[in-house]
Amino acid sequence: AYAGAEGPIASLGGGVNYTDIYNMSASGIAEGARVNPSGLAADPDQAIDIDSAATVTAVVVSGLNSALTLPGPDDGGTELSVGGYFGGLYLDNYGRAYIDDRAVVASATDVTIDALTDTQVLAVVAEGGEADDVAVDGAFSLIILGHETAAFVEERATVDAGEDVRLTATNRNLVVNVAGAQAIGNDVGVGLAAAVNVMLRPRSLEDLAEVDE
């Protein structure tokens, strides 16, 4: 996204880039289900694997010029240049692997429950302006990331494993947030830039139970 403006005396340019992403991956054994009921012959290598992987890769670019954009306030030739850009990315990434209430599950060997959330984000916001007298420009980037990774067995479920019951919840986040502003004026040049990352607190299992109800 890019916004440009040009005038002989003053040029004003700015823009807002808003991106909202929601991703949810869930796998489980439903409430009241019967898996490998007793009384039936089982393969000696029988195992139960419940895997959930929630992956988000996002690249958000704001305020950068390209061959498709119109001339902007950074081209000079004006007395006053004022510009600004805001890039906001709001991302939620959730992964759940579970055995629900009143489910009865049996396995000759292992019962494995794995949940993974993997979030990779690159956000870039840039703004620049040039004027003969005064140039003022700002670039602001905000990323709000909510994530939750849960692997669990509900308290009223029954699990009978010949060997191990293994639960693993893994979260991986890689967030790169860059903002830059350049203002060139013969008399006054002011450039402001800020990049802020906000990581929301994951909810507890008690909170999840209240939501499910």
Side-chain angles (χ1 to χ4, degrees), residues 97-188:
Y98 62 92
I99 297 176
D100 214 337
D101 268 331
R102 294 189 296 276
V104 178
V105 179
S107 173
T109 58
D110 296 331
V111 175
T112 304
I113 304 174
D114 293 321
L116 167 68
T117 54
D118 188 357
T119 306
Q120 301 180 46
V121 176
L122 170 62
V124 179
V125 179
E127 182 68 1
E130 182 177 353
D132 295 336
D133 292 332
V134 179
V136 180
D137 274 284
F140 305 95
S141 180
L142 173 64
I143 296 177
I144 297 180
L145 174 60
H147 61 90
E148 166 194 287
T149 312
F152 58 93
V153 177
E154 289 285 4
E155 58 186 5
R156 290 179 291 178
T158 301
V159 178
D160 183 7
E163 296 183 9
D164 298 327
V165 177
R166 301 172 181 169
L167 290 84
T168 305
T170 305
N171 174 67
R172 294 198 295 257
N173 294 324
L174 175 60
V175 179
V176 179
N177 192 7
V178 180
Q182 182 182 39
I184 302 175
N186 291 334
D187 294 332
V188 179

Side-chain angles (χ1 to χ4, degrees), residues 2-213:
Y2 177 81
E6 184 175 8
I9 299 177
S11 62
L12 304 176
V16 175
N17 189 4
Y18 172 86
T19 305
D20 193 341
I21 299 174
Y22 177 87
N23 184 56
M24 172 72 170
S25 174
S27 61
I29 296 176
E31 181 178 352
R34 300 292 188 268
V35 179
N36 300 329
S38 59
L40 299 179
D43 188 301
D45 296 326
Q46 179 191 73
I48 295 176
D49 293 321
I50 304 172
D51 296 316
S52 173
T55 302
V56 174
T57 301
V59 177
V60 181
V61 179
S62 307
L64 295 181
N65 202 351
S66 75
L68 301 178
T69 58
L70 297 174
D74 54 347
D75 294 332
T78 184
E79 296 180 5
L80 172 64
S81 174
V82 179
Y85 223 102
F86 171 78
L89 173 60
Y90 305 87
L91 193 155
D92 293 294
N93 194 20
Y94 302 122
R96 295 184 190 178
Y98 62 92
I99 297 176
D100 214 337
D101 268 331
R102 294 189 296 276
V104 178
V105 179
S107 173
T109 58
D110 296 331
V111 175
T112 304
I113 304 174
D114 293 321
L116 167 68
T117 54
D118 188 357
T119 306
Q120 301 180 46
V121 176
L122 170 62
V124 179
V125 179
E127 182 68 1
E130 182 177 353
D132 295 336
D133 292 332
V134 179
V136 180
D137 274 284
F140 305 95
S141 180
L142 173 64
I143 296 177
I144 297 180
L145 174 60
H147 61 90
E148 166 194 287
T149 312
F152 58 93
V153 177
E154 289 285 4
E155 58 186 5
R156 290 179 291 178
T158 301
V159 178
D160 183 7
E163 296 183 9
D164 298 327
V165 177
R166 301 172 181 169
L167 290 84
T168 305
T170 305
N171 174 67
R172 294 198 295 257
N173 294 324
L174 175 60
V175 179
V176 179
N177 192 7
V178 180
Q182 182 182 39
I184 302 175
N186 291 334
D187 294 332
V188 179
V190 179
L192 301 173
V196 179
N197 298 330
V198 179
M199 309 290 288
L200 300 182
R201 181 182 65 86
R203 293 177 293 179
S204 66
L205 290 181
E206 290 77 9
D207 296 335
L208 295 179
E210 293 177 359
V211 172
D212 292 338
E213 292 175 358

